[in-house]
């Protein structure tokens, strides 16, 4: 297995040329990150400034300084990620997964609003296995607002507040969103990942800060799929990607625990690994995933 040292500059070729018995190779050439510059007026138009809540114990100067700091942080945000932060509307739910509204991806990931308003949004995590029962991992890009350059499962994102992704029956809305994001992030086409091939395995609820400002508070649908796919990762979303078998994943976990080679894992991925993944992996290999799925409980994990 190749090194998991973070590489935010270029994507490496992921697999050798396909053989008749191996999954399709990734048609991936070297891709470089190309920073996007914005004019001052364009950048300002992309920034949303929220009203300050200033207590009597803080001066207006302190509040103004805080606001300026937030605006500076937003203006330094990658242009693609900024657009997604303000244009994407996440689905707000209560702890029983009932839809209660919607809000921007920006608001849903501000720890201040998560804590003060208890904002909880619906999410999904895709675990894609090939025909050799290897799991596809991705390393999030350096420009991601939350958890940049961490290794995680195949694809992690949010169903949006739109008709096709709000369908509750058999988690169809979430599965539609997963198909959309696999194309957006990894260039995996809908033909390679038919919606009816996603198996919702369970739901988890967790909260995790990313840094002092951003974080996650998600009700996360865990989706498994076993398919051989071709992909072309989007460097705005993905820094690297690779398949691992069980033993290789255990080595990744060991390196993350030891702090070796800068390997870091996303908190939601680690929760799934520690609580469910390896027993579900048995069902991947035995072809009994649907029997193991249980969408009734919502597992509240620390």
């Amino acid at each position: 297995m190749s090194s998991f040292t973070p590489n935010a500059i270029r994507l490496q070729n992921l697999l050798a040329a396909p053989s008749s018995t191996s999954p399709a190779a990734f048609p991936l050439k070297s891709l470089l990150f190309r920073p996007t510059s914005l004019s001052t007026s364009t950048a300002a138009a992309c920034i949303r400034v929220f009203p300050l809540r200033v207590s009597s114990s803080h001066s207006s100067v302190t509040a103004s300084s805080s606001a300026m700091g937030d605006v500076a942080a937003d203006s330094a945000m990658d242009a693609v990620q900024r657009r997604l932060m303000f244009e994407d509307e996440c689905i707000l739910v209560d702890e029983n997964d009932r839809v209660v509204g919607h809000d921007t991806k920006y608001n849903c990931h501000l720890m201040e609003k998560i804590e003060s308003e208890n904002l909880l949004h619906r999410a999904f995590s895709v675990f894609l296995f090939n025909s050799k029962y290897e799991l596809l991992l991705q390393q999030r890009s350096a420009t991601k607002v939350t958890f940049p350059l961490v290794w995680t499962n195949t694809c992690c994102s949010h169903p949006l507040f739109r008709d096709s992704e709000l369908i509750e029956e058999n988690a169809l809305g979430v599965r539609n969103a997963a198909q959309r994001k696999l194309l957006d992030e990894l260039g995996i086409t809908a033909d390679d990942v038919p919606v009816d091939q996603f198996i919702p395995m369970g739901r988890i609820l967790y909260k995790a800060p990313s840094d002092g400002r951003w974080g996650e508070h998600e009700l996360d649908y865990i989706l498994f799929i076993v398919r051989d796919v071709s992909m072309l990762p989007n460097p705005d979303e993905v820094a690297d990607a690779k398949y691992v078998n069980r033993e290789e994943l255990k080595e990744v976990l060991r390196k993350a625990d030891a702090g070796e080679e800068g390997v870091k894992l996303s908190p939601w991925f680690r929760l799934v690994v520690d609580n469910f993944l390896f027993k579900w992996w048995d069902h991947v290999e035995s072809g009994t995933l649907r029997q193991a799925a249980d969408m009734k409980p919502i597992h509240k994990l620390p």
Side-chain angles (χ1 to χ4, degrees):
M1 177 176 154
S2 59
S3 171
F4 272 73
T5 304
N7 177 6
I9 304 301
R10 67 186 294 271
L11 293 164
Q12 301 173 346
N13 290 330
L14 303 180
L15 290 177
S19 68
S20 60
T21 58
S22 65
F26 304 150
L28 180 63
K29 297 180 179 180
S30 298
L31 296 172
L32 299 179
F33 289 106
R34 296 178 175 87
T36 303
S37 60
L38 291 179
S39 67
T40 303
S41 59
T42 303
C46 294
I47 301 167
R48 181 178 302 177
V49 181
F50 296 95
L52 288 170
R53 298 171 182 169
V54 183
S55 69
S56 58
S57 60
H58 292 79
S59 69
S60 59
V61 173
T62 302
S64 297
S65 298
S66 175
M68 291 174 64
D70 288 350
V71 171
D74 291 345
S75 62
M77 194 184 298
D78 174 77
V80 172
Q81 297 301 325
R82 185 189 302 113
R83 176 178 58 79
L84 296 174
M85 276 291 196
F86 290 117
E87 290 184 2
D88 284 357
E89 290 277 328
C90 295
I91 301 168
L92 297 178
V93 295
D94 63 18
E95 292 193 353
N96 294 309
D97 201 17
R98 291 187 294 251
V99 176
V100 297
H102 56 97
D103 208 337
T104 62
K105 184 179 176 183
Y106 184 99
N107 281 351
C108 288
H109 292 83
L110 277 175
M111 283 306 298
E112 177 185 359
K113 295 187 77 67
I114 290 172
E115 298 292 358
S116 64
E117 301 179 24
N118 196 34
L119 292 186
L120 174 65
H121 61 276
R122 191 174 283 169
F124 64 83
S125 292
V126 174
F127 289 70
L128 185 149
F129 296 82
N130 63 19
S131 58
K132 296 190 292 185
Y133 308 126
E134 296 169 326
L135 173 63
L136 179 60
L137 303 183
Q138 72 154 275
Q139 185 186 32
R140 291 162 65 86
S141 78
T143 60
K144 297 288 274 189
V145 175
T146 58
F147 303 100
L149 290 177
V150 305
W151 284 91
T152 191
N153 47 281
T154 312
C155 180
C156 325
S157 192
H158 319 91
L160 300 180
F161 194 79
R162 56 178 63 167
D163 289 345
S164 63
E165 298 183 12
L166 282 163
I167 303 170
E168 301 280 352
E169 185 177 0
N170 298 321
L172 178 57
V174 174
R175 290 185 284 128
N176 284 336
Q179 187 185 67
R180 170 178 58 82
K181 285 304 292 183
L182 282 166
L183 178 62
D184 289 349
E185 293 191 0
L186 291 159
I188 299 173
T189 65
D191 288 342
D192 273 358
V193 283
V195 166
D196 63 0
Q197 294 299 301
F198 290 101
I199 302 175
M201 297 298 298
R203 294 176 291 177
I204 66 172
L205 194 162
Y206 77 96
K207 182 189 294 184
S210 175
D211 55 23
R213 190 178 184 209
W214 306 101
E216 294 283 6
H217 190 205
E218 296 185 329
L219 202 154
D220 195 8
Y221 285 61
I222 312 303
L223 305 177
F224 274 39
I225 186 168
V226 183
R227 301 282 293 185
D228 288 336
V229 301
S230 297
M231 68 174 182
L232 184 63
N234 174 2
D236 288 322
E237 297 287 341
V238 179
D240 200 355
K242 59 187 70 188
Y243 283 102
V244 294
N245 61 30
R246 292 181 191 237
E247 294 308 311
E248 289 168 336
L249 178 58
K250 290 176 182 178
E251 178 63 9
V252 175
L253 300 176
R254 186 197 67 77
K255 288 180 179 179
D257 290 342
E260 293 182 11
E261 300 181 13
V263 175
K264 295 181 180 180
L265 303 178
S266 73
W268 59 89
F269 178 53
R270 192 59 194 254
L271 287 171
V272 175
V273 168
D274 291 346
N275 290 277
F276 306 107
L277 179 58
F278 288 105
K279 62 183 179 183
W280 284 344
W281 208 320
D282 292 336
H283 291 282
V284 170
E285 295 178 355
S286 64
T288 55
L289 270 176
R290 294 189 187 277
Q291 292 92 310
D294 187 0
M295 292 296 291
K296 291 180 181 178
I298 297 172
H299 302 278
K300 296 182 179 180
L301 301 177

